[in-house]
Amino acid sequence: MAGAATPGAGAPRLMAVPAFVGRESELAACRRALAGEPAIVLVEGEAGVGKSRLLREVLDRGLVAFCPPFREPYTLGPIVDAVRQAAGSVAGLGLSALAGALRPLFPEWADELPPAPEPPEDARAARHLLFRALDEVLDRLRVSVLAVEDAHWADEATLEFLLFLAARHPLRTGLVVTYRPDDVPQTSLLLRLSSRLPATGLRLTLEPLDVAHTGALVSSMLDDEPVSPAFAMLLHRHTDGVPLAVEESVRLLYERADLTRRDGEWARRRLARIDVPPTVRDAVLERVARLSPAARSVLRAAAVLSAPADEATLGALLAAPARHPDAPARDGFTAPGGLAEALACGLLREDDGSLSFRHVLASRAVYEAIPPPDRRAMHLRAAHVLAARTPLPVSQLARHSREAGDVANWRRYAERAADLALATADEAGAASLLYDLLTHPESPPADAARLVAKIPFPSFTGDDRFHGLVRSLRSALEWDAMPPADAAETRHQLGRVLVIMEQYEAGRAEMKKAVAHLPPGSLSAALIMTYLGWPRGPSTPVSTHLRWLRRAAAAAESVPASDRLNLLVERVSALLLMGEEEGWAEASRIPGEPADAEESRHIGKGLLNLGDAGVRWGRHSDAARYLAQAARLAERHRFRRIRELVRVTRLHLDWFEGRWRGLAGRAAALAEHDEMQPVTRLEAVLVAALLRAAAGDAKAEERFEHVLSDCRRHGAVELLAEPAAALCRLLLARGETGEALRVTDEPMRQVADKGTWLWAADLAPARAAALVAAGRPDEAADLVAAFAGWVRGRDAPAPRAGLALCRAILAETRAEPRQAAAAYGRAADAWQRLPRPYDALLAQERQVACLLAAGEAETALPLARQVLQGLTGLNARAAAERLAGLLRVHQVEVRGRGRRGYGDQLSPRELEVVRLLATGKTNREIAAVLSRSPRTVAAQVNSAMRKLGVNSRTALAVGAVESGLVS
């Protein structure tokens, strides 16, 4: 007969805690890693797979920090809470003067800590000082292992502290970090920790249990009695072997009396019908429903708190009735048996006096099942309880106040949390908090400008978030009662955000409205005038922009010295974008090293803009130096936006300098980067299109049209010239002279009207060639004369090389071929000095044509061989085929010596393989099609991956398509 498992009368019979099964090798490896010298152990896996259980099994010593799933950033909160719980007091630790840096984090230890040290020079130094002080506390507490649970929820400062500890040589404190890889943001510092794991470190990936171990887990919960294979398979199929799902499902089946014993094995009563709860939530909620009201109240309170809490906090939260959330809290539970039952049922756990759910999924299930009115009341009580703590847990108070609907207190605590994040150099956390404050429907209009001014924009990314800021600022401006000066400052901040979003015309319009209502000597007025000095707008001449800069310089005299660096950076950037050499002289006034975090932001932006200017002017060595400095500063201070802009500018520089290996893949990745602003992404799209055009891909034309269209839409007039020039060259090569004139007409007119001839390095030669092809050489000559007038006296290598090419184009129409050939040679030399090798080769291609036209085939032949080799090396097939066709017309044969080498370019046989690989074929299928061995195909795939700078078959296929090798 089959005996059913039924709960006894009253409280259900408690099942055994499941054994730790299926993790023997991981447990042994973890113990070995931690047995000797301090080591780093990373444990990754999905929710409920057993990371926390592994940690508890292996860690019999050490300090455990829990990262709560707070919406509001909790700056260094997990580490601070763990240290506070472990230490209680630091009076007897013998801390050095360094520990004074901990005062903002541990105000309750103010009487025991040394005086606060002098503020460091910059944010990086401040963080380093703070981390050294925390490290000293860990050392004095004799913490041999620091474990951090759920690090995917950790704030950036906590992750930076882990990186700090991991970088110590030798390692002084062991680290065990658990996280869910799927929940780690792409920008998280956790990825850096995991990617730089030392050779002595250990990475464990916990996978779901197989059927056998699922059965063993169930058996351990049922007095170690056997489980039928059919039941184990059924349970595995519906829980995917995730231990949490298995455990919760079995508990529910047991409490439903839905388990039975047949032939000495546990089984489910109705195997024919699938009745296992489809989600862990369903299982948890049904288990909770079987508990007493007191136990359910405890679980609900723990779910609302979310973070681990002591018994007194849980008791205080439960003490006041829901209808009186502001009643004085009392220590102790209203139902004393509730906590014991909640712990006994297995949903709640206690670690060193700290109470929390055993699994986050269970916590979320309980939390989401609380009726919204009750949930809001409990959050309000939680805020009331936590407001009595010292120090104030402002991040937790912000969360509870927000969820309670207490907007006033949420705003107060959230801004304090943002200020704390800024003070501890957690700019990403501060930006997130300030964004939430600004975009809340009840955000006071009068606060908008002040809050936006606090946002550290180098760390603020996300197109949707920028649009949210714009909506909030526009909404604030609709408030009729706003004083004119406040409205002007709000409009200034709106214009600033729009400019950062690369909506230049809209930003300029808002700033022009604002400047008239701001005090003339104010910082905001000086900043607006400086920005209006930037050469934006399709027709505003340089002279007008310079007048704005002069007004800004006069206004800056009334601005405090501490605010003048920002003005200097903006002024230098505007001058250089206009092509004014004065900008290079003034750039020398920008400090080499920042004194504080604020200076770091301005200097980082300045270095980035100087790098961009170096590319435009053709000062490539300067550009590379400035970009390297900007990248280091961005990395040091976590300036994400500057870091991404540096990557795009370097991409463009690599195009110019002929470093094309892997460039198509980089361009494609940056063009699809969600957190970049649209115009910045267009620069990556442009580089990808230039590579396509060089490779002879017909799709390049539509990409250039796309870039031109979007540049016009965003008002990015300074970016129109290069895509227009590239498109013009394509059209001229096809003989479409009228279209070539059309695409260059507007950009060339804007350059001439504004006087921004710096932008014409590529555009002027393309336009001159189109005019000559259209039979309008006099207009071409006028254009070249105007361009020469601007270049004269300026140290601008790129425009100077473009001018040399313009003169060669004119010489080809007006002089005899030998003179034209010499002119093209001079242009090639000018391009090569930058260096811009592809442009030099194109000039030499025309030089070969002129030599052939002059009947000097013997002189043309060695040059043609050199040019063909260079074009082939770059994979510039379009120009190579064009030159080969010209040589055939002149019946000139270019013979090489020996077997051809392909360098970093794909050989014809490799190209055949890549084309088939891009269709999805395996190596064996490709081998069958091409009549080669699979080993040969594998070698050719590996060679192609090396040449294109990729490390996977998918990336190889994408890179080949993006570079035009495969259509």
Side-chain angles (χ1 to χ4, degrees):
M1 292 180 62
T6 58
R13 172 190 167 191
L14 298 178
M15 301 182 72
V17 174
F20 193 56
V21 302
R23 307 293 190 212
E24 292 79 10
S25 62
E26 292 91 344
L27 181 60
C30 200
R31 283 175 171 164
R32 283 196 303 271
L34 297 174
E37 296 298 319
I40 300 174
V41 178
L42 305 181
V43 183
E44 65 180 33
E46 63 182 289
V49 81
K51 303 183 294 299
S52 298
R53 179 67 183 272
L54 174 66
L55 186 63
R56 289 196 298 276
E57 293 288 332
V58 78
L59 202 63
D60 55 5
R61 68 192 194 284
L63 189 67
V64 181
F66 300 90
C67 301
F70 287 163
R71 181 176 180 178
E72 286 77 13
Y74 190 19
T75 303
L76 281 173
I79 307 297
V80 169
D81 284 352
V83 169
R84 183 179 285 126
Q85 182 177 337
S89 169
V90 293
L93 294 183
L95 297 174
S96 70
L98 189 67
L102 299 175
R103 283 175 168 269
L105 296 179
F106 300 96
E108 72 273 27
W109 293 347
D111 294 336
E112 302 168 6
L113 289 170
E118 288 295 320
E121 292 183 351
D122 60 17
R124 184 187 184 192
R127 285 199 302 275
H128 188 72
L129 186 67
L130 193 63
F131 293 169
R132 286 173 59 203
L134 275 175
D135 186 30
E136 183 184 51
V137 172
L138 295 181
D139 184 63
R140 295 292 191 274
L141 290 173
R142 300 186 182 278
V143 175
S144 57
V145 178
L146 172 63
V148 180
E149 283 224 62
D150 294 325
H152 49 276
W153 282 321
D155 62 286
E156 193 161 280
T158 295
L159 295 176
E160 285 195 86
F161 180 61
L162 296 183
L163 286 170
F164 169 85
L165 294 178
R168 303 298 294 268
H169 295 291
L171 197 66
R172 299 198 310 186
T173 304
L175 293 177
V176 182
V177 181
T178 72
Y179 61 96
R180 303 180 201 163
D182 290 342
D183 289 344
V184 178
Q186 290 185 350
T187 56
S188 173
L189 290 176
L190 186 57
L191 297 177
R192 190 187 305 176
L193 180 66
S194 63
S195 66
R196 299 181 183 179
L197 192 65
T200 56
L202 174 66
R203 183 200 302 271
L204 294 174
T205 301
L206 298 189
E207 302 290 350
L209 302 176
D210 58 19
V211 174
H213 286 124
T214 298
L217 179 70
V218 177
S219 173
S220 72
M221 298 173 68
L222 300 170
D223 297 329
D224 291 321
E225 295 180 351
V227 173
S228 75
F231 178 48
M233 290 179 64
L234 179 75
L235 202 54
H236 184 270
R237 186 164 66 248
H238 290 281
T239 62
D240 293 321
V242 174
L244 172 62
V246 174
E247 178 185 346
E248 299 303 329
S249 298
V250 170
R251 288 186 185 278
L252 177 59
L253 292 170
Y254 181 84
E255 291 167 7
R256 282 179 173 175
D258 204 13
L259 294 178
T260 187
R261 295 191 65 197
R262 296 192 185 100
D263 302 324
E265 294 180 329
W266 283 104
R268 189 168 181 219
R269 282 180 173 276
R270 297 174 296 279
L271 276 179
R273 208 178 98 210
I274 303 300
D275 200 24
V276 175
T279 64
V280 172
R281 179 180 292 112
D282 295 338
V284 170
L285 292 182
E286 190 162 348
R287 285 185 59 208
V288 170
R290 293 176 180 275
L291 300 175
S292 69
R296 291 201 297 271
S297 295
V298 170
L299 291 173
R300 289 167 64 168
V304 166
L305 287 172
S306 183
D310 56 27
E311 186 173 340
T313 302
L314 268 178
L317 178 57
L318 289 166
R323 63 181 180 276
H324 297 301
D326 294 324
R330 306 186 306 273
D331 288 338
F333 289 100
T334 54
L339 176 59
E341 188 180 354
L343 288 167
C345 79
L347 286 172
L348 213 60
R349 71 181 179 199
E350 182 176 12
D351 287 319
D352 297 327
S354 183
L355 301 163
S356 63
F357 274 85
R358 291 184 61 222
H359 300 293
V360 172
L361 292 179
S363 174
R364 287 181 175 174
V366 173
Y367 178 80
E368 292 171 3
I370 302 173
D374 293 349
R375 200 157 60 202
R376 287 191 291 272
M378 294 180 74
H379 276 296
L380 195 61
R381 290 202 301 273
H384 179 81
V385 169
L386 293 174
R389 299 289 186 259
T390 302
L392 279 177
V394 287
S395 292
Q396 295 182 53
L397 284 165
R399 170 180 174 262
H400 289 301
S401 298
R402 180 168 190 162
E403 298 299 336
D406 183 359
V407 176
N409 274 322
W410 166 66
R411 294 188 61 79
R412 180 161 60 93
Y413 290 127
E415 187 165 0
R416 289 180 64 178
D419 291 340
L420 177 62
L422 287 171
T424 53
D426 180 16
E427 293 198 345
S432 179
L433 286 162
L434 292 167
Y435 173 78
D436 285 346
L437 285 167
L438 274 156
T439 55
H440 191 273
E442 297 182 37
S443 179
D447 291 354
R450 175 175 55 80
L451 293 173
V452 171
K454 287 186 176 186
I455 294 178
F457 280 105
S459 302
F460 189 85
T461 55
D463 201 40
D464 289 343
R465 296 210 298 169
F466 272 103
H467 284 288
L469 290 183
V470 170
R471 286 191 295 270
S472 296
L473 288 165
R474 291 196 190 280
S475 176
L477 286 169
E478 293 174 0
W479 183 41
D480 294 334
M482 184 180 289
D486 291 349
E489 183 56 39
T490 304
R491 200 173 292 281
H492 165 218
Q493 296 298 336
L494 172 59
R496 178 174 169 234
V497 172
L498 289 168
V499 167
I500 294 171
M501 293 174 66
E502 298 170 341
Q503 295 185 17
Y504 302 118
E505 286 302 292
R508 285 174 62 84
E510 296 295 344
M511 289 186 178
K512 284 182 178 179
K513 293 177 186 176
V515 71
H517 301 284
L518 290 169
S522 66
L523 174 62
S524 294
L527 283 170
I528 289 178
M529 293 173 189
T530 302
Y531 178 73
L532 293 175
W534 281 63
R536 309 292 190 196
S539 58
T540 307
V542 164
S543 58
T544 300
H545 296 301
L546 290 173
R547 280 199 298 273
W548 278 114
L549 290 180
R550 285 193 291 270
R551 289 182 61 185
E557 294 177 1
S558 304
V559 171
S562 58
D563 292 323
R564 291 178 189 168
L565 177 58
N566 190 14
L567 292 169
L568 173 62
V569 166
E570 294 291 341
R571 173 181 173 79
V572 166
S573 303
L575 288 169
L576 292 177
L577 188 56
M578 279 187 281
E580 295 297 312
E581 280 201 298
E582 177 189 355
W584 294 112
E586 297 218 19
S588 64
R589 295 168 49 206
I590 298 176
E593 285 296 328
D596 52 36
E598 186 70 15
E599 279 199 3
S600 298
R601 285 192 283 272
H602 300 319
I603 293 174
K605 179 172 63 176
L607 291 169
L608 167 68
N609 291 345
L610 286 170
D612 180 75
V615 175
R616 291 178 181 277
W617 283 65
R619 298 183 175 193
H620 288 189
S621 59
D622 290 340
R625 184 178 74 256
Y626 287 129
L627 291 174
Q629 291 173 344
R632 286 194 294 270
L633 204 60
E635 188 68 23
R636 185 190 310 167
H637 295 280
R638 307 296 299 158
F639 294 157
R640 294 175 182 169
R641 184 170 174 272
I642 290 178
R643 183 179 59 198
E644 301 309 322
L645 286 166
V646 167
R647 290 175 63 196
V648 171
T649 310
R650 277 179 169 169
L651 182 85
H652 212 153
L653 182 59
D654 287 345
W655 155 259
F656 283 136
E657 296 199 335
R659 290 188 291 270
W660 292 5
R661 181 180 177 185
L663 199 61
R666 287 166 54 200
L670 290 170
E672 296 172 2
H673 199 301
D674 290 341
E675 293 193 344
M676 280 188 182
Q677 295 304 317
V679 176
T680 301
R681 289 200 300 269
L682 283 178
E683 192 167 356
V685 175
L686 171 60
V687 171
L690 290 167
L691 288 166
R692 283 178 173 269
D697 186 346
K699 292 184 179 178
E701 182 176 339
E702 65 184 50
R703 298 294 179 94
F704 289 135
E705 292 280 14
H706 165 70
V707 173
L708 287 168
S709 173
D710 273 22
C711 284
R712 292 188 188 98
R713 183 160 57 88
H714 289 283
V717 292
E718 74 278 14
L719 300 181
L720 286 172
E722 191 177 354
L727 182 54
C728 175
R729 289 193 295 268
L730 285 182
L731 294 167
L732 288 175
R734 293 209 306 263
E736 297 182 25
T737 304
E739 281 297 295
L741 287 170
R742 178 188 64 80
V743 299
T744 55
D745 184 62
E746 177 195 6
M748 196 71 251
R749 187 172 60 252
Q750 287 177 352
V751 165
D753 290 347
K754 290 179 71 66
T756 50
W757 289 95
L758 173 69
W759 308 348
D762 295 282
L763 180 62
R767 177 69 175 180
L771 289 169
V772 167
R776 295 153 60 180
D778 291 343
E779 291 181 49
D782 291 342
L783 165 65
V784 175
F787 189 22
W790 181 87
V791 170
R792 191 176 300 113
R794 281 182 167 86
D795 182 13
R800 191 170 294 279
L803 177 61
L805 182 57
C806 286
R807 286 170 170 162
I809 291 167
L810 288 180
E812 193 172 1
T813 64
R814 294 183 170 182
E816 60 95 17
R818 290 182 182 83
Q819 293 175 326
Y824 278 116
R826 289 190 292 272
D829 290 343
W831 287 124
Q832 191 58 49
R833 282 193 293 270
L834 296 181
R836 282 177 55 167
Y838 180 53
D839 293 286
L841 289 167
L842 293 181
Q844 287 177 320
E845 177 197 353
R846 293 308 308 155
Q847 185 180 6
V848 169
C850 291
L851 289 170
L852 291 174
E856 297 188 8
E858 290 186 6
T859 305
L861 183 57
L863 180 60
R865 185 179 293 120
Q866 174 188 326
V867 173
L868 278 174
Q869 184 178 0
L871 292 171
T872 303
L874 287 174
N875 192 37
R877 293 201 306 272
E881 291 171 3
R882 188 170 59 237
L883 178 56
L886 176 67
L887 294 172
R888 286 193 296 272
V889 168
H890 285 268
Q891 299 181 343
V892 176
E893 184 178 355
V894 180
R895 289 193 180 93
R897 294 184 178 180
R899 184 175 178 180
R900 176 183 176 183
Y902 294 93
D904 286 337
Q905 303 306 310
L906 299 187
S907 70
R909 289 171 65 83
E910 290 167 346
L911 190 56
E912 288 177 329
V913 168
V914 171
R915 284 172 175 159
L916 290 171
L917 179 146
T919 67
K921 285 184 167 54
T922 65
N923 285 1
R924 191 169 295 279
E925 290 169 338
I926 294 171
V929 171
L930 298 177
S931 300
R932 300 173 195 168
S933 73
R935 181 175 296 179
T936 298
V937 170
Q940 289 166 340
V941 168
N942 289 335
S943 175
M945 288 166 59
R946 176 184 59 78
K947 290 180 178 181
L948 291 187
V950 298
N951 55 15
S952 71
R953 293 170 66 91
T954 301
L956 175 59
V958 172
V961 171
E962 288 294 333
S963 61
L965 296 173
V966 177
S967 61

